[in-house]
Amino acid sequence: MITDVNLVIFGGTGDLSRRKLIPALFAGFIHGLVSEKSRIFLTSRSPLDGTLEDWVREVLAENPPQCDICDDDIARFIAAVSLMVLDLGGASAAWEELSSALLADPDMPVVHFLAIPPKMFTAACTLLGQYKLNGDNARVVLEKPLGHDYASAEAINADVAKTFDESQIFRIDHYLGKEAVQNLLALRFSNRLFEELWSNRAIDHIQITIAEDLGVAGRGAFYEGTGALRDMIQNHVLQLLCLVAMEPPAMLDASSIREEKLKVLKSLEDMDDYAIDQNVVRGQYASGAIEGKAVDDYATDLGLDGESPTETFVAIKTHINNWRWAGVPFYLRTGKRLPARFAEIVIQFKTIPHSPHPAWTAGLEPNRFIIRLQPEDHLAMRLMVKDHGSRDDRLREVELNLDTLAGVGGIRQGPYLRLILDAANGDQSLFVHRAEVAQAWRWVDRIIARWTSDGKAPHAYPSGTWGPYEAQALVQRDGRTWYETHLMKKRG
Ligand code: BG6
């Protein structure tokens, strides 16, 4: 499907635009998913040092899109892009110009993408309303994290609601746009096999890991005081947890999906101080090495004078208190400066109740369903089979590859492109409702309150390791291991 859209990126020359949005949109133009008559308006507080063309070339060289790049394509893309120096302080000639460009074609969908700090959302929306850029054809995309706690998120949501109807508001969580995540829904709700097993009757526990090897140098202004709990757990990790754990929705439309996700968030274990101390681990990266290259500690990366209480790693053990999941631990983990960029959901099934053959017990592994989001999309079942040709009936673990994309030759859209196109087409299924944001903050705020009251520093972990020892202990005391440990062992 080809989509028409006039896209306005507030914060158009900022970090998110450079790293994710421009490469995604370029690929969209080149693959013909975005129509030739679509326009991209980048807004920025200050002009570029050089030309827009040089800037686009530099951005694409630094952040390669999911397509080939040739000069003709760059020229075609640049013809659709313009840069406007626009201040959010109040009305201006630049706002007049933007508004007349957008109002000239009232039937064209307009997406206002707010890639700016959330404290500026109110000013941007007020001006959009003032210039009548909130008509029926307009949608606003809000980048996460929305606020820094429940109260600030509610205040922002209330302010945005003064200009835009909820049906026009698209709270983005780009993890929901990842191909493997959508495939998870397709597999769960189109195959009897999975749904029959998808509960505490057959599942032992679930792990969700989002590991990054990058540090936060260059993003210090945002990261310091935000930390991994607000940056990753409140949104990406809890959204993944919702999709894994939710009940089958009545229909695959936005309101049915959101209703089910909200029920999961409401069923999350309510942890008191003691439970938080036992089940939540925070860490901060120290110096170390990533792929053999020495890297600095967090405070040095940020140029801080003293120590910082900000966590760059969180591991949590929690439960979902409902009929389906009672008794099944969910282990959640995210961190910066871990050994690799790696995101995976692991559904570990219970072991068999009895083995009929002594030789089959050695090396017996529980079945696992693996949904890998990064570095590549991958879906697999890990099963035990007879070791081919072995005379002593040994078993071997094999991977049943469910990666449906291999060999299909379809266009890989990348999450941001997919979600921007969904917003242009008014489809909110893969976006987050205000009530979900509020509920996720309530849960996260409880942890932050405990951390504030105990005043402890995060555990230091050397860069290039899987986080502090306490995160290993969190699962080991339950007789389990993080699945990456197992993977590394296998890869030898
Ligand atoms: C963003 C976080 O939402 O997601 C970043 O703010 C993080 O800190 C990024 O690096 C990870 O996204 P991805 O798609 O690269 O895993």
Side-chain angles (χ1 to χ4, degrees), residues 90 108 159 165 294 333 335:
M108 185 85 156
D159 279 346
D165 183 72
R333 178 177 61 153

Side-chain angles (χ1 to χ4, degrees), residues 353-382:
H354 166 73
S355 175
H357 189 358
W360 287 356
T361 49
L364 187 69
E365 288 284 341
N367 295 146
R368 293 185 179 91
F369 177 37
I370 316 267
I371 303 137
R372 188 172 308 144
L373 291 77
Q374 259 149 217
E376 73 288 336
D377 306 326
H378 184 59
L379 289 158
M381 284 294 302
R382 294 191 72 89

Side-chain angles (χ1 to χ4, degrees), residues 299-355:
T300 309
D301 264 356
L302 262 61
L304 302 174
D305 276 345
E307 291 178 352
S308 155
T310 301
E311 79 289 351
T312 60
F313 176 98
V314 182
I316 302 178
K317 173 187 170 186
T318 189
H319 289 89
I320 295 172
N321 291 328
N322 63 18
W323 274 42
R324 186 186 284 263
W325 295 114
V328 176
F330 283 72
Y331 299 100
L332 317 175
R333 178 177 61 153
T334 185
K336 307 275 184 199
R337 284 272 190 248
L338 302 187
R341 179 167 182 260
F342 164 84
E344 220 170 56
I345 303 171
V346 178
I347 318 289
Q348 180 160 322
F349 291 90
K350 293 184 171 164
T351 44
I352 49 167
H354 166 73
S355 175

Side-chain angles (χ1 to χ4, degrees), residues 20 144 174-175 178 212 219 231 236 336 374:
K20 308 272 190 188
K144 47 73 42 186
H174 75 278
Y175 268 68
K178 296 196 185 235
E212 296 180 90
R219 293 181 73 213
D231 184 37
H236 304 322
K336 307 275 184 199
Q374 259 149 217

Side-chain angles (χ1 to χ4, degrees), residues 213 284-298 300-301 337-339 461-465:
D213 51 357
Q284 188 187 83
Y285 64 82
S287 57
I290 303 273
E291 290 193 344
K293 245 183 84 196
V295 291
D296 285 328
D297 63 281
Y298 175 79
T300 309
D301 264 356
R337 284 272 190 248
L338 302 187
Y461 60 95
S463 289
T465 65

